[in-house]
Amino acid sequence: MTSIDNSSFGKEFMNNLINRNPGEVEFHQAVHEVTESLLDFIEDNPKYKNAKILERMSEAERIIIFRVPWQDDKGEVQINRGYRIEMNSAIGPYKGGLRFHPTVNLGILKFLAFEQVFKNSLTTLPMGGGKGGSDFDPKQKTDGEVMRFCQSFMTELSRHIGSNTDVPAGDIGVGGREIGFLFGQYKRIRNEFTGVLTGKGREWGGSLIRPEATGYGNVYFADEMLKTRNDSFKDKTVTISGSGNVAQFTTEKVTELGGKVVTLSDSSGFIYDADGIDAEKLKFVMRLKNIKRGRIEEYAKKFGAEYHPNKRPWRIKCDVALPSATQNEINKEEAELLINNGCICVSEGANMPSTPDAVEVYLKNKILYGPGKAANAGGVSVSGLEMSQNSLRMSWTREEVDGHLKRIMQDIHSTCVKYGKTKDGFINYVDGANIGGFVKVAEAMLAQGLV
Ligand code: NDP
Ligand code: 2IT
């Protein structure tokens, strides 16, 4: 397999990308990974190379950056920065979440938007890719402050989005509460009730299973990977990071399938509960995180579990690891620790949680490794189904949506096998997802001319 270091096209392409996007290290990382997978494929298919498809895909169609002024409860003026990256609309309207977190910057949102294009293509649904957000930190803010921020953010964003143009959703720091405030302001400004956001409440156009979809979808995907080795979640010990939307519903589905989840985390540390986080304990986590908005440390106090401040859970022995917090949260040493402790499967609920040298460790050891753009595509898939239901002015049952989600995750798995199976039978899901996601978008771009 050709790698960037021994391909003149690859080296020149990456050098140009880094020079044109200085300092955006996460964006460089995401493009580098995809390019490694695509080099041979592009050489074998000169039509993509001649039309400079990869060069065009790594340049956003449009980027919007704007001021978000708002007033806190003390009456003090606050200023944040808002963004929307409209990355690629070859196969459908821009689609992807909004992240509210103090670390948000242009490079992080560009990496997320770039990955989203491939992910959305893999879902089989007609969605282009985008991402947005703000450096606003919802933690320790009152509901009133979050509402005023969301209203100000949407006052500008509303000119750039629409149900056939760009359809944002949630991501880190953006859940049901924020989507509600954003939707209310959009409706007021544009005077239209449309499916302009997904992740809405079920009383006002939201889809059943959307809150569960990313976590459930990742477990369905990991289950498909396990099946290729005649294995399942039954009696597996599972480590999970994060304790937000994705981590919570991942825990629920793993437990339902007979696995035992022993860790959860937040940005302050992780908890280790050797007895397993069962349905009752998960209810406590959901109340703690979604209503009280407290710290995971409180779990350890309540249930007498271990709490490890400022640490990540990867030192804990497990069979399956499901990172569900943030990017670059597993490094090379942690990947080695996982494997030395007997881990056979890593499936990513978060976007790009493993550093490139951690991924190298997984592939070298031939464990089952599901990269985020395939494994966590269940969230945006049910967003796509929410858009369909909004267009039809109908809503489907839990069973119907869950059935679609399962089928989509199986289809994504098959696509990864189709493009990622190597001669010795090993499935390289990284190559499979990158090539599988690329083809549909590249063909659409070729058909649409120089756009
Ligand atoms: P939430 O905001 O609900 O939860 C995020 C969790 O991750 C929290 O426990 C948070 O801890 C922790 N976390 C966030 N940033 C950091 C950090 N820098 N270091 C350590 N811990 C951190 O977000 P989601 O559950 O929605 O998202 C989690 C991941 O899943 C993200 O990578 C997101 O991009 C990805 N994803 C989400 C989808 C969705 O549908 N929501 C779809 C596909 C992927 P704390 O509370 O302390 O901040
Ligand atoms: O990273 C992701 O796929 C998401 N945050 C969900 C995007 C969406 O539009 O539902």
Side-chain angles (χ1 to χ4, degrees):
M1 214 185 97
T2 317
S3 81
I4 289 173
D5 288 339
N6 50 39
S7 145
S8 56
F9 165 75
K11 272 196 288 209
E12 197 186 327
F13 169 72
M14 274 315 297
N15 281 339
N16 275 339
L17 183 105
I18 291 167
N19 289 335
R20 283 165 66 81
N21 302 277
E24 297 175 0
V25 289
E26 292 87 359
F27 180 54
H28 306 163
Q29 182 184 334
V31 177
H32 189 281
E33 184 214 275
V34 166
T35 306
E36 283 274 352
S37 291
L38 287 174
L39 279 176
D40 286 337
F41 188 74
I42 288 181
E43 287 300 339
D44 293 346
N45 295 275
K47 60 180 176 176
Y48 300 135
K49 194 169 176 184
N50 296 339
K52 300 207 171 164
I53 297 291
L54 187 58
E55 290 87 334
R56 281 151 67 190
M57 282 180 75
S58 49
E59 184 72 30
E61 288 179 16
R62 188 180 300 107
I63 295 182
I64 301 139
I65 303 183
F66 51 99
R67 178 169 69 208
V68 189
W70 58 281
Q71 255 182 328
D72 67 19
D73 284 352
K74 294 195 219 91
E76 204 171 304
V77 173
Q78 301 283 348
I79 297 114
N80 286 100
R81 191 172 292 168
Y83 304 84
R84 187 71 185 165
I85 318 294
E86 296 185 336
M87 200 72 191
N88 194 301
S89 62
I91 62 168
Y94 309 108
K95 180 83 196 87
L98 296 170
R99 177 176 291 191
F100 292 169
H101 195 273
T103 56
V104 160
N105 60 36
L106 186 58
I108 288 181
L109 294 180
K110 279 167 70 176
F111 116 64
L112 288 162
F114 180 76
E115 292 237 308
Q116 197 82 45
V117 174
F118 294 79
K119 185 195 302 191
N120 293 3
S121 165
L122 285 167
T123 67
T124 70
L125 303 174
M127 298 182 288
K131 199 85 188 188
S134 174
D135 58 357
F136 173 75
D137 185 359
K139 279 205 204 78
Q140 267 101 51
K141 301 285 191 302
T142 63
D143 287 353
E145 289 174 324
V146 171
M147 181 181 75
R148 289 195 294 283
F149 170 81
C150 287
Q151 290 180 337
S152 179
F153 182 87
M154 184 51 90
T155 299
E156 175 60 35
L157 189 67
S158 64
R159 326 160 186 271
H160 309 289
I161 61 175
S163 55
N164 290 314
T165 311
D166 184 354
V167 183
D171 194 77
I172 292 176
V174 178
R177 174 182 62 170
E178 290 74 19
I179 294 292
F181 295 149
L182 291 164
F183 184 79
Q185 186 72 352
Y186 181 88
K187 186 162 60 65
R188 202 170 158 206
I189 292 175
R190 299 285 289 257
N191 195 27
E192 52 180 37
F193 193 113
T194 60
V196 68
L197 291 159
T198 58
K200 299 184 292 297
R202 36 182 304 207
E203 302 82 4
W204 39 281
S207 175
L208 288 165
I209 302 283
R210 177 61 189 90
E212 294 88 341
T214 309
Y216 281 16
N218 187 25
V219 179
Y220 295 151
F221 190 86
D223 198 40
E224 289 298 310
M225 292 200 290
L226 289 165
K227 273 190 211 156
T228 66
R229 297 189 184 174
N230 298 319
D231 211 338
S232 76
F233 269 100
K234 183 107 190 57
D235 298 326
K236 293 284 183 298
T237 298
V238 179
T239 50
I240 295 179
S241 61
S243 48
N245 169 269
V246 178
Q248 292 169 16
F249 289 105
T250 304
T251 304
E252 183 166 287
K253 187 52 79 178
V254 167
T255 310
E256 209 181 293
L257 296 186
K260 182 167 80 167
V261 176
V262 294
T263 67
L264 285 174
S265 72
D266 60 23
S267 52
S268 312
F270 81 91
I271 57 108
Y272 172 50
D273 185 344
D275 297 334
I277 301 162
D278 61 18
E280 269 313 297
K281 292 173 179 172
L282 179 60
K283 259 196 210 146
F284 172 86
V285 174
M286 288 181 169
R287 260 197 317 273
L288 174 69
K289 285 290 169 184
N290 309 344
I291 298 164
K292 274 184 68 188
R293 299 184 190 270
R295 310 307 299 157
I296 199 68
E297 183 179 5
E298 292 179 42
Y299 178 101
K301 289 190 188 131
K302 166 95 180 164
F303 298 111
E306 287 176 25
Y307 176 62
H308 299 263
N310 305 315
K311 294 261 161 48
R312 303 192 284 221
W314 315 123
R315 64 191 58 230
I316 301 297
K317 187 175 164 53
C318 68
D319 304 304
V320 179
L322 305 174
S324 308
T326 192
Q327 65 275 359
N328 293 327
E329 55 163 324
I330 304 183
N331 62 28
K332 182 174 182 223
E333 291 68 39
E334 290 165 318
E336 280 164 352
L337 256 178
L338 281 169
I339 285 168
N340 292 338
N341 281 333
C343 177
I344 55 163
C345 172
V346 176
S347 194
E348 299 181 337
N351 286 305
M352 207 167 75
S354 307
T355 61
D357 46 8
V359 174
E360 233 178 271
V361 172
Y362 308 146
L363 295 178
K364 205 174 75 208
N365 287 279
K366 302 207 164 174
I367 64 162
L368 298 167
Y369 167 56
K373 62 170 83 67
N376 72 37
V380 75
S381 298
V382 175
S383 278
L385 301 176
E386 183 169 324
M387 290 165 72
S388 306
Q389 293 169 80
N390 290 165
S391 298
L392 292 168
R393 302 195 188 286
M394 279 179 63
S395 59
W396 299 330
T397 63
R398 268 186 90 81
E399 290 68 30
E400 279 174 296
V401 181
D402 197 33
H404 283 302
L405 171 62
K406 233 179 242 165
R407 179 186 48 77
I408 289 170
M409 296 317 294
Q410 285 164 354
D411 286 350
I412 297 173
H413 184 269
S414 307
T415 302
C416 291
V417 173
K418 176 173 169 191
Y419 290 103
K421 198 164 194 165
T422 58
K423 285 195 190 90
D424 66 356
F426 173 67
I427 303 160
N428 183 324
Y429 290 90
V430 178
D431 289 346
N434 288 337
I435 300 170
F438 175 80
V439 173
K440 188 166 143 192
V441 179
E443 286 298 323
M445 288 176 76
L446 283 179
Q448 291 170 23
L450 206 46
V451 288

